[in-house]
Amino acid sequence: MAEVFWPAQGSAALLGGEHNRVDGLAKSTGVAKYAYDIAPDNMLIAQALSCPHAHANIRAIDLTAAQNVAGVVAVEPLKAEGDEVRWEGDLVAVVAAESEAACAEGLAAIKVDYEVLDHYVDDADLDAATGADATRPAGSNTQKADADAEEDAEFERLFGEAAVTFEADYGIHVITHMCLETHGSTCEWNDNKLTSHLSTQNVSGTAGQIAGPLELTAQDVTVHCDYVGGGFGSKFAADAWGVTCAQLAKNTGRPVKYMLTRSQELKNAGNRPSGFIHVKVGAKDDGFVNVWDSSHWGTNGPSGAPVSQNFIPYVFDPPNRRRVATGIRTNSSPARAWRAPNHPQCCAITQTAYDDVARHLGLDSYDVFLRNLSTVGERAAVYEEQMKLGAQLMDWKAKWHPHGKGPKDGSVVSGLGMAIHTWGGGPHNSRATCKIYPDGGVEVFLGSQDLGTGTRTVIGLVVAETLGLELNQVKVNIGSSEYPASGPSGGSTTVGGVSESTRRAATAALNELFAKVAVQLEANADDLEATGGKIQVKGNQNRNIAWKDACNQIGMGPIEAQGEYQGGVTYPRDYEGKRLTDNGVAGVQMAEVAVDTETGIVKMRKFVAVQDIGLIINRKTARSQIYGAAIMGIAYALFEERIMDKASGAFVNAELSDYKLPRMGDVGEIVVELYEPESEYNRGVIGLGEPPVISPGAAISNAVCNALGIRVPVLPMTPQRVLEAISAANP
Amino acid sequence: MRPFEYAAPRTEAEAVGLLAAKDRQTEILAGGTDLIGLMKQMIVTPSRVVNIKEIPSMQGVSQTSEGILIGAATRLEDIARATLLAPYPALADAIAGIDSQQWQAQSTLGGELLQRPRCWYFRSGAGLLAQNGQKVAAGDSRFHAIFANSGPAKFVSATRLAPALICLGAKARILKPGKEDPESDDPETQTCLVSELYRTPRDESQRENVLSQGQLVTHILIPHGKELANATYEVRHGSGPEAPLVTAAAALRIEAGIVTDAKVVLSQVAPQPWNSREAAESIIGRPVDLVTAEEAGRMAVAAASPLKDNRYKVQLAAVAVKRAILKAAGQPTGGI
């Protein structure tokens, strides 16, 4: 019997190696087709009209002139008369036309009569929001070491006892998902069946969302997505535009492509909530934070929810803490899950305060983080080991200087900062089918998707490892709702889900094959193993049969075996202390920056990321994912933000030319250390997508603060904010 | 994007004839790095687009009796590499700041000088003056003008090469349609200083340059006799081709260690390139060092009038001027 549990550390043939992506060539040469690239014959182009007002009622929509524009085939309202538009850029009507130009003419001919209403967009200013009646309570929660003490008196006493007490403000602005491939789809009808080439993180979950509104059943809808140009949590749903595209294709009898424009993408298709906090901190003279009292606020759009109070302060849980959350309703599009929802913002607005404890006490930030690890729970020892590794890679002790006390090279100062994070990353539900053909061919099928993280390669590696084959001997089929259902790719759940279902399917298929060849090898099927392209008797390499010859004995049809992981179902999860998958990781990141005090420009020098993820399947793509996360973190720490014009309520920088992102020249040296001792390896596979993107904001802010001796309180730390912080500190 | 006629003339006269059409709204297509985006957004909606990139006489860098002549359709990377332009590092500095191989390979000198402002209200369709300046005054002005912003125009001039060219006393050769029949008469030539190409519009009928429909900048001339030490220094938020926060160019004549002639021009700070006489005068008669360069930077912004969101740009303009002067004099600029 082939064993379903992973080989012991160090004994795998492929797992944990450095493997190129199986689709790397297709992607880099343009052979890979994204939803945006699909162009069936006779296709119509659909585009939407955006509302120019931040808040308005629609009195009337007149589509007549648009319908009469040459080349326009269909015009549909997306809002009805009397509807309220709650953010600038919301989509009001859609035109399908023979060309982009005709579509543009059609859109320009749509007449909408708006009753413009008051708007509110300022999420940073709590007083202004209160004045505008845009706030709502979002919960509060207190923990006291002395549960019986009267709350206010106890907090006053604790602050009185603290060696250092300070009050400070921190914040982080809304950013957008900025998917390089905007949201949308290309839809085709054939014989009353719909194929939606949807740019999605969720091929198995979106067919039903399209079928329902079209009064079809899900089996008449196939969602197809071989490649996705970015999702980051914003592409779980078919969305109104996905349904509209299918409807337009049905109504016109022609294929239709409907992708959002860049500005529509930024204004409608995903953003991350902001977070602002006022906090009072009391710490002991060794940097231990004993008391924390905070009020935080922020916006996720019209419904007005801030980041969750459950992560305040982040990872650290001081013995005494009080936290109050306030939501701000703004005329901006609803937030969507952004890589590690809540975590990056909560890390950025609270672990900066922990660093300020070090600043106020003149301590090394490393020592303050270390001292407070006693409040992080069960993974404290892992954090400590990861901090040691990070410090070695950063050469922390040699480079460290107290905040603002480092050498100055003209106007340039440098500094170090760190932050720590946590995430789950347990598996999502997943089903896989593995087929072994009589000619030796192997295929695996999952209704999963590759967001660019390397999922396709990971699945192939798991099959190849299980069957003792090379990666290129396995054909991986994903990206279709016709395959066995697998979960949406979010929350770092994919790698666990697909590796567990795939491993189980491939093992089951292999055991069927073992049964077919056992007689020829004069052995029990239980005593066989698949390795190096052969099936052999365990412990006797001479009694073997080559893979192809073994498969010849399958007979008529292929072996077809299923494997699955379903949450809530009891599996034999543990085997001699090993598991296929697990949940829960730590992670430590450190940043070194230089700051030009005359221009406020921050330059990344070095960034170190230490990360545990259980068992590593593909070391190369794992490292690559952390590089990407570090760059995304540098982006929100130093460059990107949604800029809302308070006066007009417009999102004014909703184009790539104005929405600042880092380039390769801005990211400095990035060092990735994958932390995989046997104790972590034996936990099995754990997701990696979210955790490494959490710490960069706090780590980089702390490095800037260490360089300047002044806190730049709000991210991103643009030249403007750095200069304003310097000028506020030197009035 | 709206449908449009496309013309690709091979001569300057042909181009002017096509551009001067009375019954057409025409736009000049050079590299297209700005115009295509504006057309896609329908901020400009020409009925005819005239591509000037295939006019051989508008390409290249040559030596003439009057000075160095650069065709307006010459690509930026060819300007940065041209040995004839080696004495004018201020140009290569500015081009290096347009930090994208694609942009350097695609953009032309004329297009760079006459690109439209990046003001986000203009770019979202509110008009160049964005409701007579009201949208900027009430709205978000963090990237807007810190000089000459009391009128309706509060955007900033987007060019990054004009400061260097103005410092060097460069002239623009403009071809204009003939008077009687603009579409067929021989065009007329006019020459002006590069600084005179720009204006601060007073109403929506005006653009930020003086060219009227049909007029074409064919060449830029850097006259002889202006062999000054020169440099451009930009404050850029990050790498990449996006607009810098400030551009400053300086040209200095330094004799026996003393500055005897100086010119300092900024961009990204006012609706047109901003000639800082104050900075130039402050450095004349003095040696270039950290103290005098910093003093020039301070003088450059003494008359700044920041809007509510862009006070930080005053500091950046002062630093850019200081560093441009130091760089022109061959001294370390500091910074990162």
Side-chain angles (χ1 to χ4, degrees):
Chain A
M1 273 273 281
E3 177 51 60
V4 76
F5 290 96
W6 303 116
Q9 190 172 27
S11 64
L14 298 171
L15 299 184
E18 299 271 348
H19 303 284
N20 290 336
R21 290 161 198 266
V22 293
D23 48 12
L25 195 64
K27 283 181 162 182
S28 53
T29 55
V31 170
K33 294 295 174 219
Y34 295 74
Y36 219 125
D37 298 322
I38 305 291
D41 289 344
N42 207 27
M43 179 180 78
L44 296 172
I45 299 290
Q47 285 195 345
L49 180 72
S50 290
C51 174
H53 307 293
H55 192 194
N57 282 328
I58 294 183
R59 288 202 194 97
I61 304 181
D62 182 356
L63 305 176
T64 324
Q67 279 155 345
N68 294 330
V69 169
V72 168
V73 176
V75 187
E76 297 287 340
L78 300 172
K79 294 263 189 288
E81 293 177 5
D83 278 359
E84 183 183 358
V85 179
R86 293 191 295 172
W87 64 88
E88 180 253 352
D90 193 4
L91 308 177
V92 175
V94 65
V95 171
E98 301 287 353
S99 67
E100 275 191 50
C103 204
E105 293 282 6
L107 291 171
I110 295 173
K111 294 184 187 69
V112 187
D113 182 11
Y114 294 102
E115 178 197 359
V116 178
L117 306 171
D118 289 342
H119 66 266
Y120 185 80
V121 295
D122 186 358
D123 54 334
D125 187 338
L126 185 59
D127 291 339
T130 306
D133 196 21
T135 60
R136 67 173 198 63
S140 62
N141 174 305
T142 301
Q143 161 175 298
K144 300 191 299 292
D146 178 357
D148 299 330
E150 194 281 319
E151 187 172 314
D152 287 343
E154 177 67 355
F155 272 77
E156 198 174 324
R157 186 185 72 76
L158 290 164
F159 280 117
E161 273 180 6
V164 65
T165 298
F166 63 90
E167 289 186 60
D169 291 275
Y170 307 91
I172 180 165
H173 278 280
V174 170
I175 61 171
T176 71
H177 292 67
M178 186 55 96
C179 302
L180 199 55
E181 181 187 36
T182 60
H183 283 62
S185 61
T186 303
C187 287
E188 301 177 78
W189 284 84
N190 285 305
D191 304 327
N192 287 325
K193 289 192 183 240
L194 172 74
T195 301
S196 171
H197 302 275
L198 180 69
S199 182
T200 183
Q201 300 178 233
N202 188 7
V203 290
S204 287
T206 37
Q209 298 171 22
I210 297 169
L214 268 63
E215 296 178 346
L216 299 167
T217 48
Q219 79 266 18
D220 290 330
V221 178
T222 301
V223 170
H224 189 96
C225 179
D226 281 332
Y227 301 95
V228 197
F232 314 111
S234 68
K235 286 182 179 167
F236 292 129
D239 279 317
W241 40 81
V243 175
T244 300
C245 185
Q247 188 73 59
L248 284 166
K250 188 179 187 191
N251 295 354
T252 59
R254 292 174 60 178
V256 176
K257 184 197 298 294
Y258 175 18
M259 307 292 295
L260 300 187
T261 65
R262 177 56 52 191
S263 75
Q264 286 170 345
E265 170 79 10
L266 269 61
K267 290 175 181 177
N268 294 282
N271 62 76
R272 183 178 82 177
S274 56
F276 300 91
I277 196 168
H278 179 80
V279 60
K280 185 174 180 184
V281 181
K284 297 184 175 171
D285 58 5
D286 61 357
F288 182 77
V289 176
N290 190 47
V291 54
W292 171 282
D293 192 4
S294 70
S295 161
H296 76 272
W297 63 95
T299 191
N300 70 339
S303 69
V307 291
S308 168
Q309 56 170 324
N310 296 334
F311 304 98
I312 303 286
Y314 185 65
V315 181
F316 299 114
D317 191 19
N320 304 283
R321 56 153 169 72
R322 178 159 60 183
R323 50 201 187 189
V324 178
T326 306
I328 298 181
R329 290 185 297 268
T330 52
N331 290 105
S332 60
S333 67
R336 295 182 174 208
W338 189 98
R339 219 171 166 177
N342 291 304
H343 290 234
Q345 304 99 307
C346 293
C347 186
I349 63 177
T350 65
Q351 290 194 5
T352 38
Y354 272 69
D355 188 73
D356 276 337
V357 170
R359 176 163 66 101
H360 287 295
L361 287 166
L363 297 174
D364 185 331
S365 301
Y366 183 94
D367 296 332
V368 169
F369 274 69
L370 191 66
R371 176 65 187 85
N372 284 284
L373 285 183
S374 60
T375 70
V376 306
E378 59 180 21
R379 295 185 69 71
V382 173
Y383 283 116
E384 188 169 348
E385 286 305 309
Q386 293 183 344
M387 280 177 64
K388 280 183 201 160
L389 275 172
Q392 278 168 22
L393 292 165
M394 181 56 90
D395 201 10
W396 181 285
K397 289 292 168 192
K399 287 179 184 168
W400 174 261
H401 57 73
H403 289 77
K405 301 274 178 10
K408 201 165 183 184
D409 177 11
S411 61
V412 179
V413 289
S414 61
L416 296 178
M418 64 172 290
I420 68 175
H421 56 255
T422 185
W423 187 255
H428 61 38
N429 291 351
S430 178
R431 288 197 171 93
T433 295
C434 181
K435 291 188 186 181
I436 303 175
Y437 293 92
D439 61 2
V442 175
E443 276 192 287
V444 61
F445 300 84
L446 295 91
S448 185
Q449 50 279 318
D450 190 335
L451 293 193
T453 53
T455 303
R456 193 177 265 113
T457 310
V458 157
I459 292 168
L461 285 167
V462 169
V463 175
E465 176 75 37
T466 307
L467 303 183
L469 301 174
E470 296 297 326
L471 177 56
N472 63 13
Q473 292 176 272
V474 178
K475 182 167 188 230
V476 179
N477 301 284
I478 58 171
S480 171
S481 60
E482 295 187 328
Y483 300 148
S486 203
S489 289
S492 306
T493 59
T494 305
V495 72
V498 302
S499 61
E500 179 145 0
S501 63
T502 301
R503 176 72 172 178
R504 291 183 186 281
T507 305
L510 182 62
N511 282 326
E512 284 189 45
L513 184 60
F514 282 175
K516 307 255 185 197
V517 300
V519 174
Q520 187 180 336
L521 288 169
E522 297 175 353
N524 283 325
D526 288 354
D527 294 333
L528 300 180
E529 63 182 0
T531 179
K534 299 188 295 277
I535 291 172
Q536 65 188 31
V537 179
K538 279 181 198 163
N540 188 345
Q541 292 177 25
N542 296 327
R543 281 164 62 198
N544 69 63
I545 179 169
W547 176 260
K548 230 174 159 169
D549 297 335
C551 293
N552 281 339
Q553 314 218 357
I554 290 173
M556 289 282 287
I559 291 172
E560 185 172 331
Q562 276 74 40
E564 67 171 6
Y565 172 81
Q566 301 294 322
V569 176
T570 307
Y571 294 91
R573 291 300 302 272
D574 286 288
Y575 175 76
E576 292 177 0
K578 293 186 286 187
R579 314 187 78 182
L580 277 179
T581 56
D582 204 353
N583 184 54
V585 297
V588 170
Q589 297 187 348
M590 295 175 175
E592 181 186 14
V593 303
V595 187
D596 185 340
T597 55
E598 285 187 343
T599 60
I601 285 170
V602 178
K603 194 96 182 152
M604 293 301 302
R605 292 276 191 242
K606 185 170 181 176
F607 191 85
V608 172
V610 184
Q611 186 63 52
D612 59 301
I613 53 167
L615 178 154
I616 297 159
I617 293 177
N618 185 356
R619 199 163 295 273
K620 189 171 198 174
T621 47
R623 210 172 44 242
S624 179
Q625 181 127 348
I626 299 177
Y627 289 139
I631 293 168
M632 211 165 181
I634 290 164
Y636 71 72
L638 298 178
F639 292 93
E640 66 170 323
E641 66 183 299
R642 181 182 75 183
I643 300 176
M644 300 298 288
D645 173 18
K646 296 183 198 92
S648 66
F651 178 173
V652 285
N653 63 331
E655 287 290 345
L656 270 164
S657 50
D658 300 313
Y659 188 92
K660 303 236 180 272
L661 291 166
R663 311 267 173 160
M664 290 313 282
D666 300 317
V667 302
E669 181 191 5
I670 301 173
V671 177
V672 171
E673 177 71 13
L674 294 165
Y675 178 74
E676 196 193 24
E678 194 179 7
S679 55
E680 296 301 322
Y681 179 93
N682 285 343
R683 297 175 65 202
V685 177
I686 311 175
L688 171 64
E690 338 290 294
V693 86
I694 297 166
S695 280
I700 295 167
S701 175
N702 293 343
V704 170
C705 181
N706 179 243
L708 292 170
I710 293 164
R711 176 65 57 181
V712 180
V714 174
L715 303 188
M717 294 173 288
T718 59
Q720 175 171 14
R721 291 201 180 93
V722 173
L723 289 180
E724 286 172 356
I726 292 172
S727 137
N730 305 285
Chain B
M1 192 182 282
R2 292 253 167 89
F4 56 90
E5 288 176 355
Y6 172 82
R10 297 294 187 275
T11 69
E12 295 168 20
E14 226 183 329
V16 167
L18 286 159
L19 286 166
K22 287 185 198 125
D23 57 346
R24 293 282 188 280
Q25 188 71 39
T26 62
E27 289 286 348
I28 301 166
L29 174 69
T33 53
D34 191 23
L35 181 69
I36 303 297
L38 287 163
M39 288 171 64
K40 282 183 124 173
Q41 308 277 6
M42 300 206 282
I43 305 302
V44 296
T45 51
S47 48
R48 176 184 287 172
V49 169
V50 180
N51 180 3
I52 53 142
K53 232 180 168 181
E54 294 178 38
I55 301 173
S57 63
M58 287 177 67
Q59 309 270 356
V61 181
S62 57
Q63 181 77 255
T64 71
S65 56
E66 293 169 88
I68 310 286
L69 194 67
I70 313 173
T74 310
R75 301 175 316 154
L76 297 186
E77 66 172 18
D78 292 332
I79 292 173
R81 288 182 193 146
T83 46
L84 280 173
L85 293 170
Y88 310 109
L91 293 173
D93 290 344
I95 293 166
I98 303 166
D99 187 8
S100 151
Q101 283 187 11
Q102 291 94 327
W103 280 41
Q104 290 176 8
Q106 184 67 21
S107 307
T108 64
L109 177 60
E112 204 291 327
L113 292 174
L114 296 168
Q115 63 184 303
R116 306 302 310 275
R118 292 260 17 127
C119 167
W120 43 38
Y121 299 107
F122 167 55
R123 297 271 167 170
S124 66
L128 182 57
L129 301 179
Q131 294 175 2
N132 214 28
Q134 289 170 37
K135 289 203 83 141
V136 181
D140 196 309
S141 54
R142 71 184 74 184
F143 299 126
H144 286 81
I146 55 169
F147 294 107
N149 52 10
S150 57
K154 302 185 194 299
F155 61 83
V156 295
S157 174
T159 172
R160 302 162 73 168
L161 282 166
L165 289 169
I166 294 169
C167 276
L168 297 167
K171 294 172 183 171
R173 176 178 176 268
I174 302 169
L175 211 54
K176 305 167 88 165
K179 285 202 179 63
E180 298 296 314
D181 183 347
E183 290 181 60
S184 57
D185 281 4
D186 285 345
E188 299 166 7
T189 301
Q190 182 196 323
T191 301
C192 71
L193 289 168
V194 167
S195 58
E196 292 166 352
L197 282 174
Y198 302 98
R199 70 171 163 205
T200 299
R202 305 301 305 173
D203 60 61
E204 282 291 346
S205 70
Q206 298 182 327
R207 281 194 178 185
E208 68 285 357
N209 62 63
V210 298
L211 303 174
S212 50
Q213 177 159 314
Q215 299 189 346
L216 176 66
V217 173
T218 62
H219 295 82
I220 299 293
L221 178 82
I222 304 177
H224 290 314
K226 282 280 182 188
E227 283 76 16
L228 307 179
N230 60 87
T232 299
Y233 186 93
E234 291 189 329
V235 180
R236 298 190 294 135
H237 185 172
S239 50
E242 294 90 344
L245 294 163
V246 176
T247 302
L252 310 171
R253 188 185 307 282
I254 303 175
E255 293 170 303
I258 301 297
V259 177
T260 57
D261 189 10
K263 193 127 188 181
V264 175
V265 179
L266 296 97
S267 187
Q268 321 289 338
V269 295
Q272 51 181 307
W274 183 256
N275 180 8
S276 180
R277 288 189 190 83
E278 300 85 348
E281 281 164 13
S282 105
I283 198 86
I284 290 172
R286 306 172 78 181
V288 175
D289 56 34
L290 263 179
V291 172
T292 58
E294 194 157 304
E295 170 73 10
R298 255 198 312 278
M299 293 307 294
V301 297
S305 54
L307 302 167
K308 72 179 168 59
D309 301 320
N310 64 6
R311 179 160 292 278
Y312 74 104
K313 282 186 70 174
V314 176
Q315 154 95 355
L316 294 183
V319 173
V321 166
K322 173 179 90 168
R323 292 183 180 179
I325 288 172
L326 289 168
K327 195 174 179 185
Q331 298 181 23
T333 60
I336 42 179

